[in-house]
Amino acid sequence: MGVDGTWHLTLDSAMGKQEFDFDIKADDDGLTGTGSAEGREVVPEIIGGTLDGDTASWKLKVRKPMRITLTFTVQVAGDEMTGKTKAGIFGSFPVTGRRT
């Protein structure tokens, strides 16, 4: 089934649960797509998307409430994702997701 599709991810951060939605598509150059987060201003295009087997990685720039680049690295298994999100100087946090 791969990584293509619409995904809802939950980041379990020090500030509580953060919700994100992504539309992701794999192609010959890696991953492309867009992301959004309720209550936050983000640059919608994902950056530097890669796919290596069942491991997907990409970045999303958050503009508000603070400027930060989040780096997602997840394992894809069917309709689920699990992994970590690096949040700059704030460290890494677990992330889980489901295809919607």
Side-chain angles (χ1 to χ4, degrees):
M1 183 173 282
V3 71
D4 289 5
T6 302
W7 294 86
H8 181 79
L9 275 67
T10 302
L11 169 62
D12 193 8
S13 79
M15 295 174 24
K17 294 195 183 296
Q18 310 294 314
E19 307 286 328
F20 296 88
D21 291 301
F22 289 96
D23 288 315
I24 300 173
K25 180 169 176 43
D27 59 29
D28 293 337
D29 296 325
L31 294 179
T32 58
T34 58
S36 63
E38 189 171 329
R40 289 165 185 70
E41 180 181 321
V42 301
V43 176
E45 293 79 24
I46 64 173
I47 303 164
T50 63
L51 184 62
D52 183 11
D54 62 351
T55 301
S57 298
W58 68 89
K59 295 179 183 181
L60 182 71
K61 290 188 177 189
V62 176
R63 296 292 184 212
K64 286 185 181 178
M66 68 174 52
R67 289 182 169 269
I68 191 166
T69 299
L70 302 176
T71 303
F72 293 82
T73 304
V74 298
Q75 301 292 315
V76 180
D79 289 335
E80 296 188 3
M81 287 183 174
T82 56
K84 293 197 180 241
T85 302
K86 182 162 177 30
I89 62 171
F90 300 104
S92 295
F93 304 100
V95 63
T96 58
R98 288 200 54 76
R99 194 183 316 261
T100 61

